[in-house]
């Protein structure tokens, strides 16, 4: 297990290999170090340049992010992952943003360039790959019912639109947040229909065979309410819950009881990590090794 580092550990930084790290607050539950270091160990068996790569973790509160980005750059770090609360905060503080991350307004992967940090968002790739792998559903041409309007929902909405979903219906507890997200999607929606509804008032004209994606945090705690009453929806082709701990939320249990295919957010977590390591390494990343590392935590 990688120790939890803070910026003070950079005062006498002496690591000479290629350093990667995840920054977050809190950071103690992150399984990214185990996932990446296991993959790097396997990659080094066939390419010795990866023998000197190592992935660290830093506890960085929100207010220290600008300092952390400067200090990690100066210390020679090559790649960073960002998690809560830094994904949106970093967006306006880095030298460049990947075109596909631009409409998301958040970045989770940074690569060092001569100009400074260049930002990417690999969560959408993780979602699309997991939905394909676990449910056999391609986001292209599929009607989507998206629950939530926070950061993860925004990333999911952008990915669904960029991949040409058939339609996008967004439900969220707070109508103002839902409407704000729908307004933000206007410039990239093209001719794909994008509509909102309240989870308490399910409209009659929702599509059948839609993929339901839960991007709310309802389900993280046992006492959380269901984000939607599934029986009130036309039968979906599958339900994907971004939550992976617990492995089966109340929503997924209710879905499985109706015989509808389900998947939790574990494969999404793994594939966003795979894509990040591909961005840093320009090499093929062993997905199975990452999956093994996650299963062992
Ligand atoms: P945010 O805090 O940005 O958004 C939270 C969303 O959940 C809002 O839409 C909020 O609605 C809604 N919500 C919160 N509590 C409830 C409730 N009790 N009932 C109904 N809706 C509720 O969080 P994120 O978008 O960053 O994360 C959302 C979820 O996605 C988390 O569970 C996170 O763990 C997961 N996630 C998983 C990833 C993966 O790799 N598997 C990657 C990223 C996120 P409102 O607007 O009304 O407040």
């Amino acid at each position: 297990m990688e120790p939890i580092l803070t910026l003070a550990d950079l005062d006498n930084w002496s690591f000479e290999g290629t350093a990667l790290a995840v920054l977050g607050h809190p950071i103690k539950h992150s399984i990214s170090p185990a996932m990446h270091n296991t993959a790097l160990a396997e990659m080094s068996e066939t390419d010795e340049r990866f023998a000197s790569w190592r992935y660290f973790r830093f506890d960085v509160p929100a207010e220290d992010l600008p300092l952390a980005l400067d200090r990690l750059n100066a210390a020679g770090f090559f790649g960073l992952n960002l998690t809560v609360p830094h994904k949106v905060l970093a967006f306006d503080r880095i030298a460049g943003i990947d075109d596909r991350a631009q409409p998301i307004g958040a970045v989770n992967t940074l690569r060092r360039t001569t100009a400074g940090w260049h930002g990417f968002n690999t969560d959408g790739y993780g979602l699309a790959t997991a939905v394909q792998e676990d449910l056999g559903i391609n986001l292209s041409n599929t009607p989507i019912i998206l629950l939530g309007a926070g950061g993860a929902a925004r990333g999911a909405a952008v990915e669904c639109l960029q991949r040409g979903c058939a339609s996008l219906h967004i439900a969220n507890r707070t109508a103002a947040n839902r409407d704000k997200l729908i307004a933000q999607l206007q410039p990239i929606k093209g001719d794909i229909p994008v509509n909102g509804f309240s989870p308490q008032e399910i409209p009659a004209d929702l599509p059948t065979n839609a993929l339901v994606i839960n991007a709310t945090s309802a389900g993280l705690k046992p006492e959380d309410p269901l984000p939607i009453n599934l029986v009130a929806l036309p039968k979906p082709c599958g339900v994907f819950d971004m939550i992976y701990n617990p492995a089966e939320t109340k929503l997924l249990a209710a879905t499985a009881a109706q015989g509808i295919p389900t998947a939790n957010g574990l494969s999404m977590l793994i594939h966003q990590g795979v894509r990040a390591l591909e961005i840093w390494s320009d090499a093929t990343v062993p997905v199975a090794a990452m999956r093994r590392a996650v299963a062992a935590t």
Side-chain angles (χ1 to χ4, degrees):
M1 179 71 85
E2 284 298 328
I4 296 178
L5 305 177
T6 68
L7 293 187
D9 289 295
L10 295 174
D11 292 347
N12 302 303
W13 190 251
S14 60
F15 181 72
E16 286 181 351
T18 297
L20 310 167
V22 58
L23 317 186
H25 185 71
I27 199 63
K28 74 170 187 284
H29 299 296
S30 174
I31 48 184
S32 292
M35 214 163 71
H36 286 280
N37 284 325
T38 303
L40 286 166
E42 190 161 310
M43 289 159 78
S44 70
E45 288 169 13
T46 49
D47 187 340
E48 69 177 28
R49 103 189 133 105
F50 296 116
S52 64
W53 287 46
R54 190 159 146 201
Y55 189 105
F56 300 88
R57 59 175 167 167
F58 282 83
D59 193 312
V60 176
E63 63 275 17
D64 286 347
L65 180 68
L67 179 65
L69 293 176
D70 287 350
R71 290 204 64 188
L72 290 160
N73 191 351
F77 276 68
F78 181 60
L80 302 177
N81 274 146
L82 305 175
T83 185
V84 175
H86 301 307
K87 291 185 193 184
V88 174
L89 296 173
F91 192 79
D92 295 325
R93 299 183 182 278
I94 53 178
I97 307 273
D98 176 57
D99 284 350
R100 285 178 78 84
Q102 203 77 48
I104 305 171
V107 284
N108 74 335
T109 300
L110 307 184
R111 180 177 162 143
R112 192 155 66 100
T113 69
T114 48
W117 294 111
H118 194 81
F120 303 81
N121 195 315
T122 69
D123 283 336
Y125 169 85
L127 170 69
T129 309
V131 163
Q132 181 71 62
E133 190 174 272
D134 292 347
L135 295 170
I137 296 170
N138 191 328
L139 295 178
S140 309
N141 297 317
T142 298
I144 308 291
I145 296 177
L146 177 63
L147 313 178
R154 181 163 169 164
V158 170
E159 189 71 22
C160 291
L161 293 172
Q162 284 175 338
R163 287 184 185 250
C165 61
S167 60
L168 179 61
H169 289 82
I170 302 176
N172 192 52
R173 178 180 63 176
T174 307
N177 294 343
R178 174 200 71 204
D179 294 344
K180 185 170 165 210
L181 173 57
I182 291 175
Q184 286 166 337
L185 297 172
Q186 293 308 308
I188 61 157
K189 73 183 243 334
D191 54 9
I192 299 172
V194 176
N195 294 291
F197 66 96
S198 158
Q200 273 73 48
E201 290 167 43
I202 295 177
D205 60 350
L206 289 177
T208 50
N209 281 325
L211 169 67
V212 175
I213 300 173
N214 179 35
T216 76
S217 40
L220 284 175
K221 291 180 265 153
E223 67 272 22
D224 284 345
L226 279 168
I228 200 146
N229 176 11
L230 208 63
V231 257
L233 294 179
K235 193 172 181 187
C237 61
V239 175
F240 185 91
D241 198 329
M242 286 196 191
I243 294 172
Y244 53 86
N245 187 13
E248 188 178 62
T249 56
K250 270 193 247 174
L251 176 67
L252 291 190
T255 308
Q258 288 186 51
I260 298 164
T262 64
N264 70 21
L266 200 58
S267 291
M268 175 177 172
L269 176 79
I270 292 166
H271 285 291
Q272 63 75 31
V274 168
R275 185 74 197 108
L277 192 48
E278 284 172 355
I279 287 169
W280 298 320
S281 68
D282 291 320
T284 302
V285 172
V287 182
M290 284 203 171
R291 201 176 283 287
R292 261 198 330 273
V294 168
T297 55

